[in-house]
Amino acid sequence: TEISVGGVVRNIAKNLSQLSHKVSLMSVVGDDASGEEIINQSRKIMEVFATDRLKGETTGTYYAVINQKGHMEIGLANMNINDHMNRSWIVEHKRHLSLSSWIVCDMNVSKDAIEALIEFKREENKKLAIVGVSGPKMKNCPDDLNGVDLMIVNQDESERYFKTKTNDLEKLCQMWLDKGVQKAVVTAGMNGSVFGEGKLIRKREAIIV
């Protein structure tokens, strides 16, 4: 059994911090041991004053059973605490958001929270990146994405959002650009990835280390 501190956006924050960027983590955790561990580990390399500890709540957790070939057999999630990351939560933290040049958001927050971030980005001329979490979480992705600076999603997430069965990464990437996204990255694991900006689509083969 292995236990690690996670959350898609927290992992991104960690990587950016290790690349010498100044990062502030804005999230919610419960008043439990897991929440304390996340804050203690994160504060070593980033600011955490905008991460709220909620009394009576349990920190979001995800459990995966991996077989000997490295494939997931079972995945279980307890993410009820994420319901608190809604439009009201975004509005309450606007002063904090105004301090950033880039806002990076994953789809663990609610749909109306992402809509609020897009509105804030347009009003305050901020840069906004949205990152996928899973196929089911694409229900949190807004319909109006015009002006979003960067979208990072995988093949399955793209297919879920556009309700399509195509597995053509270039077509999926173009669909995001047609939605008004400025730059889009669509990944497909070992099958590589595609990057699009404007009308330009570039395919990248997988890099195996």
Side-chain angles (χ1 to χ4, degrees), residues 26 50 53 120 132 145-146 154 188 190 196 204 209:
M26 178 176 152
R53 296 197 68 173
F120 181 80
L145 297 171
N146 190 47
N154 64 27
M190 300 293 288
R204 290 287 181 266
V209 179

Side-chain angles (χ1 to χ4, degrees), residues 43-106:
R43 66 159 45 103
K44 298 175 183 178
I45 55 176
M46 67 186 80
E47 294 178 351
V48 294
F49 64 86
T51 296
D52 302 325
R53 296 197 68 173
L54 306 181
K55 292 184 178 180
E57 295 288 344
T58 301
T59 301
T61 53
Y62 177 74
Y63 306 90
V65 178
I66 308 299
N67 64 25
Q68 292 179 340
K69 294 182 179 180
H71 301 301
M72 185 177 70
E73 295 282 354
I74 301 173
L76 301 172
N78 176 12
M79 301 286 185
N80 293 337
I81 194 173
N82 291 353
D83 293 341
H84 292 276
M85 294 189 289
N86 52 25
R87 174 180 285 272
S88 297
W89 181 70
I90 296 296
V91 172
E92 291 171 3
H93 287 80
K94 272 191 173 182
R95 180 176 295 182
H96 174 66
L97 292 170
S98 66
L99 300 175
S100 302
S101 55
W102 268 93
I103 300 170
V104 182
C105 172
D106 71 20

Side-chain angles (χ1 to χ4, degrees), residues 91-162:
V91 172
E92 291 171 3
H93 287 80
K94 272 191 173 182
R95 180 176 295 182
H96 174 66
L97 292 170
S98 66
L99 300 175
S100 302
S101 55
W102 268 93
I103 300 170
V104 182
C105 172
D106 71 20
M107 291 184 205
N108 278 313
V109 304
S110 68
K111 185 175 182 177
D112 65 348
I114 300 179
E115 290 171 341
L117 284 175
I118 293 174
E119 294 168 8
F120 181 80
K121 170 255 185 315
R122 293 168 179 167
E123 294 168 358
E124 303 296 329
N125 195 28
K126 299 292 183 179
K127 296 289 188 180
L128 175 63
I130 301 176
V131 185
V133 172
S134 67
K137 290 292 180 72
M138 294 307 291
K139 70 182 189 315
N140 293 337
C141 188
D143 298 323
D144 182 4
L145 297 171
N146 190 47
V148 170
D149 297 277
L150 175 63
M151 178 72 67
I152 304 176
V153 286
N154 64 27
Q155 177 185 326
D156 175 63
E157 292 160 355
S158 299
E159 291 175 2
R160 291 285 192 101
Y161 181 78
F162 291 109

Side-chain angles (χ1 to χ4, degrees), residues 161-177:
Y161 181 78
F162 291 109
K163 296 180 174 61
T164 179
K165 294 183 179 180
T166 182
N167 58 5
D168 187 316
L169 297 188
E170 293 186 20
K171 289 182 179 179
L172 292 171
C173 189
Q174 188 61 56
M175 289 179 183
W176 289 111
L177 298 178

